[in-house]
Amino acid sequence: MEMRELIESITRELLKNMPIDKLALPKVLYIFCDSTAHEPFYEQFIKLSNHGICHDILFLDGETSSWLGMHRIECGGAGKVIATDEYAPAPLELPKEYDGIVIPEIDLDNAARVVTGMKGTIKAEIIFSALLLEKFVIIGEDIPGLKRSDRRCLRTLSLTAPYHKLFLKQIEEMKELGIEFRPQKDLADAVIQRLKGKKQAQPMGGEAEPVQEEPIFFSGKLLTSDWIMSQSRFPHQQISIQKGTIISPLAQDLLREMGITVQYIAKG
């Protein structure tokens, strides 16, 4: 490897790992009832990525696996994976590192806890903490009020009329607390609108100078869709790879959907 190429490779690695980039990017937390509920939101995640917004995903499979006693929660997402043992952060702590919380679906039980100021469940803890920290909370409005697990167990898709009336009342009370309700298909747009005016971190000593961003450089031998989704943004909608790098079929489809062009760089 030539000296120039070596220096360029080291510089790219250092710039990639600089914490200032992470601090400058806004980030939200999506909370789903189980590990399959996020699939319909795949295109929304792409939209967030294209607008320079990071996101993590919190899965609450069965909710009993997310007990508060040992602070155990299950989380996996585009940004990171939160530990699933006694060293995991308590749900009350999670909103500290996010600009906002997005909950596509909430049920009668959690809604009742939120409006009465009670905690005791993961969603209620996180919403309570986020509102106290003045972080925005967005919830899907086209929801039945029944947990996904309850719908599967009871084989019913909606609440009875009295329960539905109570649920609608709880939604109005949550709005009074500052919680925003939007259609599930518009959740990403609501996040982008909320974070539209968020300023990027500026260096000390005056105004920030414009930075000419270079395309992201992938130095591996196999480019996968998982690696693409792990990136927060693609400057100029472009990625640079070495000639001979293999692009998986899923990665090719994803690059095409995101409108990202591939630039090949000759070795040496």
Side-chain angles (χ1 to χ4, degrees):
M1 181 183 291
E2 295 182 358
M3 182 61 67
R4 180 178 179 180
E5 186 178 356
L6 176 62
I7 294 175
E8 181 180 358
S9 177
I10 295 174
T11 302
R12 289 180 184 277
E13 190 66 23
L14 290 174
L15 290 175
K16 181 179 178 181
N17 295 324
M18 284 181 64
I20 186 65
D21 288 337
K22 294 295 184 182
L23 291 174
L25 293 175
K27 184 168 63 172
V28 296
L29 175 66
Y30 272 74
I31 304 176
F32 291 99
C33 297
D34 57 53
S35 54
T36 61
H38 71 295
E39 294 174 356
F41 297 86
Y42 183 75
E43 293 182 355
Q44 294 196 35
F45 297 150
I46 295 178
K47 182 179 291 187
L48 291 178
S49 177
N50 290 342
H51 282 79
I53 300 174
C54 301
H55 73 279
D56 290 340
I57 302 176
L58 175 63
F59 298 121
L60 300 178
D61 288 278
E63 290 193 282
T64 55
S65 63
S66 306
W67 59 80
L68 301 181
M70 295 293 289
H71 291 171
R72 172 171 175 155
I73 53 179
E74 296 180 356
C75 179
K80 68 175 181 179
V81 174
I82 299 177
T84 57
D85 55 24
E86 66 269 21
Y87 299 105
L92 199 65
E93 299 176 291
L94 281 181
K96 291 181 179 179
E97 57 181 293
Y98 296 97
D99 294 283
I101 305 297
V102 182
I103 305 177
E105 190 171 327
I106 197 167
D107 55 88
L108 183 68
D109 172 39
N110 280 289
R113 290 178 180 274
V114 171
V115 299
T116 56
M118 293 179 62
K119 293 183 284 185
T121 64
I122 303 298
K123 288 182 180 179
E125 292 264 354
I126 292 177
I127 292 175
F128 176 80
S129 177
L131 292 178
L132 286 185
L133 295 174
E134 298 184 349
K135 306 293 182 70
F136 67 81
V137 177
I138 303 175
I139 297 178
E141 66 179 13
D142 42 349
I143 48 180
L146 271 172
K147 292 186 177 73
R148 286 166 61 92
S149 58
D150 290 341
R151 298 201 295 268
R152 288 192 293 264
C153 177
L154 301 176
R155 308 299 295 175
T156 183
L157 300 177
S158 60
L159 296 167
T160 60
Y163 273 131
H164 183 65
K165 182 178 180 181
L166 176 61
F167 185 57
L168 293 178
K169 180 181 178 182
Q170 292 171 345
I171 289 178
E172 294 302 317
E173 292 178 353
M174 283 191 286
K175 290 180 179 179
E176 294 178 1
L177 293 175
I179 299 173
E180 182 179 353
F181 282 80
R182 296 285 289 271
Q184 289 186 342
K185 64 181 181 63
D186 297 333
L187 292 178
D189 292 329
V191 172
I192 294 170
Q193 185 178 0
R194 282 274 191 165
L195 298 176
K196 190 175 181 179
K198 186 175 178 61
K199 296 182 178 180
Q200 300 288 321
Q202 296 184 355
M204 296 179 63
E207 296 183 357
E209 297 181 359
V211 178
Q212 186 67 30
E213 294 183 301
E214 296 184 1
I216 291 179
F217 178 74
F218 177 75
S219 59
K221 295 182 179 180
L222 175 62
L223 180 61
T224 65
S225 59
D226 290 337
W227 186 90
I228 295 174
M229 289 299 296
S230 69
Q231 303 303 304
S232 60
R233 55 181 174 174
F234 288 89
H236 312 297
Q237 292 298 98
Q238 192 175 33
I239 181 174
S240 299
I241 63 176
Q242 291 182 344
K243 286 186 176 180
T245 300
I246 300 174
I247 304 177
S248 71
L250 288 177
Q252 291 179 356
D253 294 339
L254 184 57
L255 290 172
R256 192 180 302 110
E257 290 177 7
M258 298 175 66
I260 298 173
T261 58
V262 178
Q263 178 184 18
Y264 289 93
I265 300 176
K267 296 181 179 179

